[in-house]
Structures are given as structure tokens and as C-alpha cells.
Amino acid sequence: MILKDRGIIYAQDIMIITGRSKSYAYKVLKEIKSFYNKQDHQMVTIEEYADFHGIPVQKVKDYVIPRRSTWE
């Protein structure tokens, strides 16, 4: 099985990364969309999230992209 890197960040991911509430996660997504002049229906990428917060992209991906176990 080949796992592809996911490109989009979701509120649940932000909750895991920050340890904060769902309402906080949605607020962050809204701030990022405003910063990048995105419309409501457009999604936020992992790269945009990382850049907005000054976090290395790989660090964010380590949290949100599942890794294949070694026994598969």
C-alpha cells in the first residue's frame, strides 16, 4: 500500500497539533483563509498553515500524515 502525502489541513489536525478546542481550530482556519484571501469554500493547505505560524512544514506533516507501519 502506498500512502500519499495529504495536502489539506483540517480543524481536527489543528486540535491535535495545538491541544486546543475545536472552536479555536476553526478560528485559526478562518484567520488563515483571510490572510491568504481565500473564499469560504476553499481549503487551507498544510504549507499555508505552516507558513502562517512559522512552523517547518515537515513538523506539521509529522503530526497530520499517518506513517505506514514497518510490518506491512
Side-chain angles (χ1 to χ4, degrees), residues 40-67:
D40 287 339
H41 70 278
Q42 293 177 309
M43 302 183 111
V44 174
T45 67
I46 290 172
E47 288 79 8
E48 289 168 338
Y49 176 83
D51 182 57
F52 183 81
H53 287 289
I55 304 169
V57 173
Q58 190 56 51
K59 194 135 194 105
V60 176
K61 285 184 177 184
D62 288 344
Y63 274 96
V64 301
I65 298 173
R67 297 291 175 216

Side-chain angles (χ1 to χ4, degrees), residues 3 5 8 11 14-15 21-23 58 64 67:
L3 292 176
D5 282 352
I8 304 301
I14 296 171
M15 290 169 59
S21 68
K22 186 191 297 187
S23 59
Q58 190 56 51
V64 301
R67 297 291 175 216

Side-chain angles (χ1 to χ4, degrees), residues 2-43:
I2 298 173
L3 292 176
K4 300 248 181 188
D5 282 352
R6 187 159 43 104
I8 304 301
I9 194 157
Y10 298 99
Q12 182 69 36
D13 300 322
I14 296 171
M15 290 169 59
I16 291 167
I17 292 168
T18 63
R20 304 280 302 268
S21 68
K22 186 191 297 187
S23 59
Y24 172 79
Y26 281 112
K27 178 179 170 269
V28 168
L29 286 173
K30 190 172 185 171
E31 288 174 358
I32 295 170
K33 285 181 182 184
S34 176
F35 182 80
Y36 285 105
N37 296 317
K38 289 184 169 243
Q39 297 176 5
D40 287 339
H41 70 278
Q42 293 177 309
M43 302 183 111

